[in-house]
Amino acid sequence: MKALVYNGPGEKSWTEVPKPVILHPTDAIVRVETTTICGTDLHILKGDVPAVQPGRILGHEGVGTVVEVGSAVGTLSTGDRVLISCIKSCGHCANCKTGLYSHCLGDEGASGIGWVFGHLIDGTQAEFVRVPYADNSLYKLPSEVDDSQAVMLSDILPTGFEIGVRYGGVKPGDVVAVVGAGPVGLAAMMTAGLYGAGEVVAIDIDEGRLEKAKEFGATSVVLSSAEDWRERVLSMTDGAGVDVAIEAVGVPETFTMAVGLVRPGGSVANVGVHGRPVDLHLEDLWIRNISISMGLVNTDTTPLLLRLVAQKKLRAERFATHHFDFEHIMDAYETFSNAAQTGALKVLIER
Amino acid sequence: MKALVYNGPGEKSWTEVPKPVILHPTDAIVRVETTTICGTDLHILKGDVPAVQPGRILGHEGVGTVVEVGSAVGTLSTGDRVLISCIKSCGHCANCKTGLYSHCLGDEGASGIGWVFGHLIDGTQAEFVRVPYADNSLYKLPSEVDDSQAVMLSDILPTGFEIGVRYGGVKPGDVVAVVGAGPVGLAAMMTAGLYGAGEVVAIDIDEGRLEKAKEFGATSVVLSSAEDWRERVLSMTDGAGVDVAIEAVGVPETFTMAVGLVRPGGSVANVGVHGRPVDLHLEDLWIRNISISMGLVNTDTTPLLLRLVAQKKLRAERFATHHFDFEHIMDAYETFSNAAQTGALKVLIER
Amino acid sequence: MKALVYNGPGEKSWTEVPKPVILHPTDAIVRVETTTICGTDLHILKGDVPAVQPGRILGHEGVGTVVEVGSAVGTLSTGDRVLISCIKSCGHCANCKTGLYSHCLGDEGASGIGWVFGHLIDGTQAEFVRVPYADNSLYKLPSEVDDSQAVMLSDILPTGFEIGVRYGGVKPGDVVAVVGAGPVGLAAMMTAGLYGAGEVVAIDIDEGRLEKAKEFGATSVVLSSAEDWRERVLSMTDGAGVDVAIEAVGVPETFTMAVGLVRPGGSVANVGVHGRPVDLHLEDLWIRNISISMGLVNTDTTPLLLRLVAQKKLRAERFATHHFDFEHIMDAYETFSNAAQTGALKVLIER
Amino acid sequence: MKALVYNGPGEKSWTEVPKPVILHPTDAIVRVETTTICGTDLHILKGDVPAVQPGRILGHEGVGTVVEVGSAVGTLSTGDRVLISCIKSCGHCANCKTGLYSHCLGDEGASGIGWVFGHLIDGTQAEFVRVPYADNSLYKLPSEVDDSQAVMLSDILPTGFEIGVRYGGVKPGDVVAVVGAGPVGLAAMMTAGLYGAGEVVAIDIDEGRLEKAKEFGATSVVLSSAEDWRERVLSMTDGAGVDVAIEAVGVPETFTMAVGLVRPGGSVANVGVHGRPVDLHLEDLWIRNISISMGLVNTDTTPLLLRLVAQKKLRAERFATHHFDFEHIMDAYETFSNAAQTGALKVLIER
């Protein structure tokens, strides 16, 4: 079969590799029909994630059809059309039992991290993929949900919802600021209404993204490169600050913006993947009764989000801006890498 | 009457000042019978809190007797023996209605901070004190609770419990590390059991304080100046880290220690008052699903803690290490300022 | 002034009575501009609420203008346009401090019940009304909210939201059944979306009300007089039952319906005012892991709901089906008492 | 092997039966070393649980050693000493994913009930038992925990803690009443302190049990056959009622007692297994803001309770009042059935 293989920093190829096989009775093999590229894949390609070894097949998002199941797989059969979650979870370790699937201790070549695809084991940017703990990591898809919707549930929609909206503790009527209107920030905006957010303020330096933000649930937009964003946002809240500030970029400046926007008693939910430390101004913050959360998605909300997509309450298909077939996956990477020019949110790679 | 007056950085005096009078119908005047000194008072005296103006009477902790009430005070009468909470709360602003008393917006010469005594209005290190919003700020004392117990409920016990134990989300069976075994750290240790903490690990650089810690609920102690504290604590938790780490010192090093001790999915509760920023290593932390909380005490748990003291479930009197009369308050400051030598936890100043 | 006075079972009159005066420094006098009638008023008129003595002015809902304030009222001034909450709360008793305003222990002629207007003290169906604890019981109205919207916030919207939606623990994606499509049931339907309800199933015996239900947020309707309601609802949930069942009628049959609809692990929120006991089938239920809640509204969500009305996120005005002036209040009662014929939801009585 | 077989109402025998074998790759076979009898077994023997067919081996509690594992069992090996939980959970159905293990939908001969041992499949009162979903249903035992402690974790300790203390929402300082001082009531008393209960009031008609209750954490006892229990309990709470009332008997009278004891805003946690309906006085209760919970244990707290037993924070061994060997299991039934005379709490049957 063919797959997108990481060959070390800056190097990747769409190349012939062996087809995966069942290694454990809880595994399944899935024929991938749709996959996509995540910002994390670009980080890996830069060499920023040393745990990823050359030879690794990338990708942790996908939709496909089960072609083989291990002897202990109880809920899936050959022929089932499934969503592949970006997180593997054994379902019975101490962390899984408390819903902390992101830190599943199950022993699939990883220790203490639920994100393994395209990282510690081969991933989904391939014609076939081996899925560990298939009963917990795959979700049967109803016919109302098409591939371009479903693939948004592998990672970005649960990430924006769980790590942004839920960790942030969004409540009915809250004013929520989202710093960064990329795919994950937009996912947070799209799902903030599920807890009744009263106002969703999108903040970005790109006018095109802010236009997009309005389609994804933002009720106001702030172009932080052109206006005094803090003044603007505080003025919307009688000077107090927002209830929840969601960081969805991953650099120190945007984290500091988020912290600076939140009211006493509010919360900051960091969703961004960071590469550098940030100054936390505890000399001002200690007295403000705020909390700061962060983390990797657990995907415990995937069944819920899937139902909402089926009910057309979440328009997941809006993230899909570009389509490629598997043979043009290198073009898909090119388009996604130049999102500022191409306007790409999620690029789909389809059979 | 006499009072302890701040005269600018480094300067204080026990001196004659006018007796306070009722300014608002919701005020009460309390004759102070016991007061004490907080680490914050030492900060003020150093000039670290510019909002405190020369001429201000210090102190935000106390027990006394009501001698006069305003026309709108409904629940208190002259002669009532009362606990004075360190936080004033109007009871009807937007923040008070959600229990965020620490950021009461009521307009007693303050804006957006519930801590006003010895800060924005005159405090409790005086023979008499005016208490705003008396119905919400004073608590009638049952006869079973003596002054040396009650005065610990003005600030340190609710602070350790609310900002440490509750903000930290301590649950039954949790392993809780408390960095810093000063009065507020000890208050966190003493109250961690109220949510069923399984292990309480005290960490400090002072052996004497660690000895004390064992009397306040610590089940293990770690002398961080002499041993590899991180190794020690991780070894108690199969390498995973503690469920809750409580910072009770207020310097960057101890905050970083607390963050470094917590397991994936755990929480860090900052109780310390900080004067400098701290490096937050988001490049490591973003993936760890932790939360970090901080804040000023709300004192919403004061009635509960008072009941537990009356039931002898909390031995509040253990904090009182030294006793002085009002005329020797300068000696009390001396003793408290040199806690490392004197072994002072809380020094009581009594009529 | 004139007022609607209860003269004993079956007897009421719109009659001249003395204008109210300030009795406590925390009181305000409000000139009533809009009031309305609640199902509870009809119960009182039948003699079902013996605590209500002849001579009592009825009514617990209203909008008006402050004409006088007591000396301890801090947040309101003469001329302020205000919403009158159906619940009085002192703000400092043990129950108020935990947000249980419905059982405020403050001593305004009542003991242990926050609902006093038109019950234990004179109410709002009058030209003027005395409001105890004005700082906590009145809410200043922004100009965007008109009287016909605001008066729905005195009781029905917070009741449906707090006792139905919040006590029921509605979560994103939940299937919520509301038994009874009267004003309070409709209020629950209208606000279920604030916690992301996926489906809202309205159940009633009146087709007209079910038509209304669709305008208030119901996504399906079940005519329980004509179809096998249980079969219908179970079939919407793969046989499991709904996540939350809200009872909004107040008779044993509808309570039993609600209990019979809920899935294992789900919850039943009783909003109805009941006059008789009900058989609870614990022999079937003990194993089903359900919870059953009930209660009087606390109105702690009034500020939130007011903001959502101002933002046009809640269309409160839809409840107002009929309008009368004060001199025609007896006609208003007639119309409201015959809701099945008149189609009345809420009848407004306006200056 | 030998086992205790149900032969229809009133009939049981300790008799030779075939040894169980692995049926599914997720199964394990456990050699039972300690088992015990539950009140539910007595109900079954009376014929009250028609789902139990003649020929069924009874028992759902036990400790033993793994002698064989299916090919998909990942966390256990032959020779592991294990606790057998009374609840089987597949770990990946919709209910398991939300922690509602008691209603696991996995298909082991059952539908929608996690309690299968000695009910829908053969149980633990046997020399060997087949355990479905072994990874989720068995817990490796540390050497510090002996069999007589561990077997209390199969059912009664998690039941009292989860369905009594946690469903009841016990908080620090709460006054908790437990109606019924049998094994499960005592388990609730023993674990109420894990959430900081301030007072634990045991209510029973048997003086001997009340004496026991004091050893299990009760701070007061009320002999309901001899004194005005309601008056007594209300007088402990200034007339308001208790914060949490736990029903641990299972008859209408005790349920009604529990409901009658709870304060406005409090909760009733039903733990008892009921055989008859009960009158719920909604005409009084609708206004009291109480909640009523009930259910089958989920055992999600088993790991926590096991740790607390290992730490000697819970003295689980205190439940074991009588010991028998397997050949005398009929005597064990006799002793347990006559608990009023024998004083039996839990009778242990050991190899």
Side-chain angles (χ1 to χ4, degrees), chain A residues 172-173 194-196 198-199 304 307 311 313, chain C residues 172-173 194-196 198-199 304 307 311 313:
Chain A
L194 295 175
Y195 284 104
E199 301 285 345
L304 158 64
R307 200 160 63 237
Q311 293 167 347
K313 300 236 164 69
Chain C
L194 295 177
Y195 284 105
E199 301 285 346
L304 158 64
R307 200 160 62 234
Q311 293 167 348
K313 299 235 164 71

Side-chain angles (χ1 to χ4, degrees), chain B residues 161 170-175 193-199 219 243 304 307-308 311 313, chain D residues 161 170-175 193-199 219 243 304 307-308 311 313:
Chain B
F161 181 53
V170 173
K171 300 180 308 298
D174 274 0
V175 180
L194 295 176
Y195 284 104
E199 301 285 346
T219 56
D243 298 290
L304 158 64
R307 200 160 62 236
L308 292 166
Q311 293 168 347
K313 300 235 165 70
Chain D
F161 181 53
V170 173
K171 300 181 308 301
D174 274 1
V175 180
L194 295 176
Y195 284 105
E199 301 285 346
T219 56
D243 299 289
L304 158 64
R307 200 160 62 236
L308 292 166
Q311 293 167 347
K313 299 239 164 68

Side-chain angles (χ1 to χ4, degrees), chain B residues 1 11 14 20 25 41 53 56 77 91 94 127 138 148 169 201 204 210 214 230 252 268 289 304 324 327 343:
Chain B
M1 72 165 191
E11 304 291 327
W14 175 249
D41 298 322
Q53 296 293 306
R56 177 67 67 228
S77 308
E127 292 181 324
L138 296 177
S148 71
V201 185
D204 204 299
L210 291 177
K214 291 180 194 168
R230 188 153 191 273
V268 176
N289 297 63
L304 158 64
F324 299 86
E327 291 304 316

Side-chain angles (χ1 to χ4, degrees), chain A residues 67-86:
Chain A
V67 294
E68 190 183 353
V69 293
S71 61
V73 173
T75 60
L76 297 158
S77 308
T78 299
D80 284 345
R81 189 169 153 261
V82 291
L83 163 67
I84 306 169
S85 174
C86 68

Side-chain angles (χ1 to χ4, degrees), chain D:
Chain D
M1 71 165 189
K2 295 191 90 173
L4 195 285
V5 176
Y6 170 67
N7 300 316
E11 303 292 329
K12 64 179 181 296
S13 54
W14 175 250
T15 188
E16 196 68 27
V17 295
K19 218 180 125 176
V21 295
I22 297 278
L23 297 181
H24 304 277
T26 46
D27 285 349
I29 304 295
V30 176
R31 177 184 188 271
V32 179
E33 274 130 23
T34 298
T35 185
T36 181
I37 307 170
C38 179
T40 309
D41 298 321
L42 304 185
H43 280 294
I44 291 170
L45 280 166
K46 283 194 200 135
D48 287 353
V49 187
V52 182
Q53 296 293 308
R56 177 66 66 228
I57 299 172
L58 298 185
H60 52 266
E61 300 163 284
V63 175
T65 301
V66 175
V67 294
E68 190 182 354
V69 293
S71 62
V73 173
T75 60
L76 297 157
S77 309
T78 300
D80 284 345
R81 189 168 153 261
V82 290
L83 162 68
I84 307 169
S85 173
C86 68
I87 296 293
K88 65 85 190 156
S89 60
C90 71
H92 48 68
C93 72
N95 285 340
C96 281
K97 285 238 171 166
T98 61
L100 190 67
Y101 302 121
S102 55
H103 291 271
C104 169
L105 304 164
D107 54 0
E108 280 298 315
S111 65
I113 289 287
W115 165 45
V116 293
F117 287 123
H119 177 208
L120 306 170
I121 66 171
D122 285 333
T124 56
Q125 292 169 6
E127 292 181 322
F128 294 88
V129 63
R130 180 182 68 87
V131 178
Y133 305 119
D135 279 327
N136 287 316
S137 307
L138 296 176
Y139 297 87
K140 273 192 240 188
L141 285 169
S143 58
E144 310 90 282
V145 177
D146 71 26
D147 281 25
S148 70
Q149 298 172 311
V151 77
M152 306 311 165
L153 293 166
S154 288
D155 181 346
I156 63 164
L157 269 170
T159 295
F161 181 53
E162 294 178 16
I163 308 305
V165 175
R166 297 221 305 179
Y167 274 22
V170 173
K171 300 181 308 301
D174 274 1
V175 180
V176 178
V178 181
V179 184
V184 171
L186 294 171
M189 295 175 208
M190 183 180 260
T191 55
L194 295 176
Y195 284 105
E199 301 285 346
V200 177
V201 185
I203 307 174
D204 204 299
I205 53 172
D206 182 309
E207 278 190 88
R209 292 201 153 188
L210 291 177
E211 277 310 302
K212 277 281 179 199
K214 292 178 193 168
E215 296 168 29
F216 282 78
T219 56
S220 328
V221 299
V222 177
L223 185 65
S224 54
S225 47
E227 48 184 325
D228 183 334
W229 51 269
R230 187 152 193 274
E231 181 85 1
R232 260 295 298 289
V233 176
L234 292 189
S235 74
M236 296 177 194
T237 57
D238 295 329
V242 302
D243 299 289
V244 181
I246 297 176
E247 201 282 345
V249 179
V251 299
E253 294 72 19
T254 47
F255 181 82
T256 300
M257 283 171 74
V259 171
L261 285 174
V262 80
R263 70 164 173 79
S267 59
V268 175
N270 182 77
V271 186
V273 174
H274 288 258
R276 284 179 287 150
V278 60
D279 268 1
L280 186 68
H281 287 277
L282 280 181
E283 75 278 19
D284 298 327
L285 296 171
W286 74 267
I287 203 171
R288 285 179 65 78
N289 298 63
I290 66 168
S291 69
I292 301 172
S293 60
M294 60 203 69
L296 186 64
V297 65
N298 286 308
T299 68
D300 58 308
T301 64
T302 303
L304 158 64
L305 294 170
L306 183 54
R307 200 160 62 236
L308 292 166
V309 170
Q311 293 167 347
K312 312 213 181 309
K313 299 239 164 68
L314 292 178
R315 310 305 305 234
E317 64 281 7
R318 292 192 181 155
F319 289 96
T321 52
H322 295 76
H323 296 257
F324 298 87
D325 61 23
F326 270 38
E327 291 304 317
H328 290 85
I329 191 168
M330 302 300 266
D331 297 338
Y333 263 95
E334 189 69 17
T335 298
F336 185 66
S337 302
N338 295 290
Q341 287 72 50
T342 61
L345 291 176
K346 292 295 276 185
V347 301
L348 265 56
I349 299 122
E350 301 159 313
R351 284 218 186 217

